[in-house]
Each structure stands twice: as structure tokens, then as C-alpha cells.
Amino acid sequence: MLNDQALLSDWIVACPASDVNEKPIQVNIMDERVVLFRTSTGEVYAFKDLCIHRGAALSLGKIKDDKIVCPYHAWEYNTEGKCVRIPQLPCGRGIPTKAKLVPYASKEAYGFIWLNLNNNAPAFFKYSEFDDPDYRNVIWGPQSVNAKAPRVIENFLDVSHLAVVHEGYLGDASHMEIQDHKVMWDTDSIRSEEIPVYQPNPDGVGLAKTVYYTYEILRPLTVTFSKRDPENGRIFSMLFSVLPVSGEKSIAYGVMSFNYETNQSDEEMNRFQDLIFSQDKPVVESQKPEDLPLDLREELHLKIDQISMTYRKYLDRKEVKLGTE
């Protein structure tokens, strides 16, 4: 497991909640193999994906009466991680007290499973759109990228690349100027002022107009943005979170939230978001250094890079080590 206490003590996205059912699955998070499964009550449990006996991956096993069964010697562990049955033991022989699993805290929220590897029960962030009946939510991901997680997050927070990397979709080359804007810190998050962005087709009806972007940093690897159209009150928000698979590989997930009728299926909206991410991916994978420099003197910054600079200051303050210099 990668030693980054800031991230180990936080909630990290693991996978869509719909991926976890009665069959155990493996998720790799910060170079740690984790097994996830759901019991008959609907609760999700997470453990180090390792049987204490001979090191087999429990994710290759099965769930039996809400207990996870090792695929190698059929040892059974309950939801507390305690081994409750070793079929090879003679009748009356006690199970060693060492026969137990390493548990990890898990939480189901916003359509995903989140893990807290240090089991320190940190407070969970709010994404109010998900529970708002006026919004439709669409789960997006996974999208793999060979880049370190902070680089992936910072790209999402970068408003000035929209007219370059996503020209014709999220921006226009003839309208590249970004106005100065402030970034506000509070106890729960970091939030930008609204930033006007000219887009060629923000509503999908072929009419170009200026919309207003707001970015928010919730956690080191979880951020949001909202796009507001003042002419019709339409708001598109997105929760974006990155799973650090290892020091070099990341997986991006998100929730897209709309307070208006898009006239598109979930699949169509996911395809569009996949297209946008596919435009970002080669650029992010090409960035050097791979680590995000937290010393602002190491790269050239402009006043319009306020959100990126603030994100780096935030990571430095949180003492995040993974993917930073």
C-alpha cells in the first residue's frame, strides 16, 4: 500500500455501487488489493483481498450465508472479518484467533462505493444535487488514465483549456479569453467565483452563448463544477473523483446532474463525456513532470490559473504525497 496518510485517512472512490453484489470483486486502490461484496441485507463490506492462511485473493471466492469463502481452502469469514469456519479442522478444534481479515471502512453514496483505508471515519462531503428531486443524475465511468491522480484532478479544474482541447464542444477558438476570478476558502471546501465561458452549443440546440462555470474542491481527489445558463436557469453539475490505482495509474468516475430535460439517454450522455475525457487523456498523460509541482515557482502561472494554484496550495496544506513534488 502506498504510504500517503492524507489519502489513506480520506474517503476514496472505489467503484460504482452497481458493481457490488453477491459476488465479491477486487478493487486496486493505492497499490492495495481490496475485496468488496454485498450481503443479503444490502450492506457493502470491504477487506484486504488476502486470506490469512495462504494469501489467496478472496475476490476469487464466493459469498455463502453472508460470509466470504476463500477460493483455496474454503475458510469462511463473517462481516467482521473473523474466521468462523475452517472445514479441514477436526471436530472440536478451535479456530486460531489470528484467523481474521483486515477490514476497511466503506460507504455507499452518490451512486458509488467509497473506502477509508485508515478506518478513521472522516466526515463525508456533500453533493446536494444528487438528492435534489429537481435533478436527474447519471453515473459516469470508469475511465482509466496513465497519469497520477492530482494531474487528472487539476485538468478537470482547468477552465482555460476548454476552447483548445475541446474546441467545438466546450469552447471556441475565437473566444479564448478568461476573465479574472477569485477563489474562496471556507471550512468545508474551496469554491471559485462564476467564470463566464463562451460555448458553441451549451444547450444542444445549436445556439452559441455564454454560460457560467463554478468549480469547487471538496477533497484532494474529489471536486465539482457547475455550468449555469442565466437565460433559462438550466444547471449542469458534475461530481468528479479519481481512484488512485497506483502511483502511476488512475481511474476517473463522476456523477452528471441536470435540472432540465436533456432529451438524451444515460448512454448518450456517457458517450459524450467519454469523448470529452478522450480528448483530455493524451494531454494529461503527456505532462511532465508526472508529479504535480506544489512549489508554484516550478511552473509558470497566470492570474487566470487561480483554481489550479489554489488546488496545489490545498494539497500542500493537506500534506498529500501521492502524485506531488
Side-chain angles (χ1 to χ4, degrees):
M1 183 188 298
L2 297 175
N3 184 20
D4 186 319
Q5 291 303 311
L7 296 183
L8 293 175
S9 298
D10 201 359
W11 289 106
I12 305 296
V13 67
C15 64
S18 59
D19 286 357
V20 185
N21 48 48
E22 69 282 353
K23 180 176 173 57
I25 65 169
Q26 183 185 92
V27 173
N28 288 284
I29 175 170
M30 296 178 67
D31 275 342
E32 178 79 344
R33 299 192 313 182
V34 177
V35 60
L36 297 170
F37 63 93
R38 193 182 295 272
T39 65
S40 59
T41 63
E43 294 294 317
V44 173
Y45 292 87
F47 296 95
K48 185 181 180 73
D49 195 6
L50 185 80
C51 179
I52 189 66
H53 181 215
R54 289 294 181 267
L58 294 166
S59 55
L60 297 176
K62 62 183 179 180
I63 305 302
K64 174 186 174 184
D65 298 327
D66 288 343
K67 295 181 282 291
I68 188 164
V69 182
C70 177
Y72 200 4
H73 297 99
W75 289 26
E76 297 181 20
Y77 298 87
N78 65 16
T79 55
E80 296 178 353
K82 181 181 178 180
C83 184
V84 294
R85 182 171 185 263
I86 299 177
Q88 293 83 5
L89 278 182
C91 183
R93 188 78 55 87
I95 295 175
T97 57
K98 188 180 177 181
K100 56 185 178 181
L101 306 178
V102 177
Y104 295 125
S106 62
K107 182 178 181 65
E108 185 169 348
Y110 311 135
F112 292 97
I113 303 300
W114 306 78
L115 298 179
N116 169 227
L117 299 184
N118 266 354
N119 295 312
N120 57 304
F124 205 73
F125 58 85
K126 293 181 179 179
Y127 180 61
S128 58
E129 288 90 338
F130 194 85
D131 297 315
D132 190 328
D134 291 333
Y135 281 82
R136 170 190 175 190
N137 298 294
V138 179
I139 303 300
W140 171 78
Q143 282 292 333
S144 298
V145 54
N146 293 318
K148 299 186 178 183
R151 282 288 192 190
V152 182
I153 290 288
E154 190 184 66
N155 173 75
F156 183 85
L157 297 171
D158 187 300
V159 67
S160 61
H161 83 286
L162 299 180
V164 183
V165 179
H166 309 299
E167 183 182 6
Y169 295 99
L170 304 182
D172 188 290
S174 62
H175 296 79
M176 296 179 65
E177 182 177 328
I178 301 296
Q179 293 184 11
D180 292 343
H181 49 272
K182 296 179 181 179
V183 177
M184 291 77 69
W185 293 64
D186 62 33
T187 55
D188 296 322
S189 67
I190 302 167
R191 191 177 184 88
S192 74
E193 290 182 319
E194 284 194 322
I195 307 167
V197 178
Y198 180 89
Q199 294 191 325
N201 188 20
D203 294 331
V205 296
L207 296 176
K209 65 171 71 173
T210 297
V211 291
Y212 292 82
Y213 274 54
T214 302
Y215 292 91
E216 188 171 12
I217 301 168
L218 299 175
R219 292 292 188 274
L221 301 183
T222 302
V223 296
T224 71
F225 95 95
S226 292
K227 179 171 70 174
R228 183 179 68 88
D229 186 339
E231 293 183 7
N232 52 33
R234 291 182 172 183
I235 298 175
F236 163 47
S237 297
M238 185 169 183
L239 176 73
F240 183 81
S241 197
V242 174
L243 163 63
V245 176
S246 65
E248 310 297 330
K249 181 180 178 181
S250 304
I251 298 178
Y253 290 102
V255 183
M256 297 180 286
S257 304
F258 307 83
N259 75 342
Y260 58 93
E261 177 53 59
T262 65
N263 296 312
Q264 290 182 313
S265 66
D266 289 5
E267 292 75 16
E268 288 171 319
M269 286 185 285
N270 270 310
R271 281 198 295 270
F272 179 77
Q273 191 60 38
D274 289 345
L275 169 64
I276 296 301
F277 193 81
S278 72
Q279 294 174 329
D280 284 320
K281 184 175 177 177
V283 177
V284 175
E285 290 182 337
S286 78
Q287 288 181 283
K288 300 292 182 181
E290 291 88 350
D291 286 329
L292 191 69
L294 301 189
D295 185 341
L296 298 183
R297 297 169 297 181
E298 293 191 25
E299 292 184 329
L300 178 61
H301 303 277
L302 303 176
K303 194 171 183 179
I304 59 173
D305 297 320
Q306 282 294 324
I307 303 169
S308 295
M309 289 190 289
T310 302
Y311 177 59
R312 297 184 188 203
K313 293 176 184 177
Y314 171 74
L315 293 182
D316 191 32
R317 184 176 297 186
K318 289 288 188 179
E319 299 184 344
V320 173
K321 305 301 181 186
L322 185 147
T324 65
E325 287 190 334

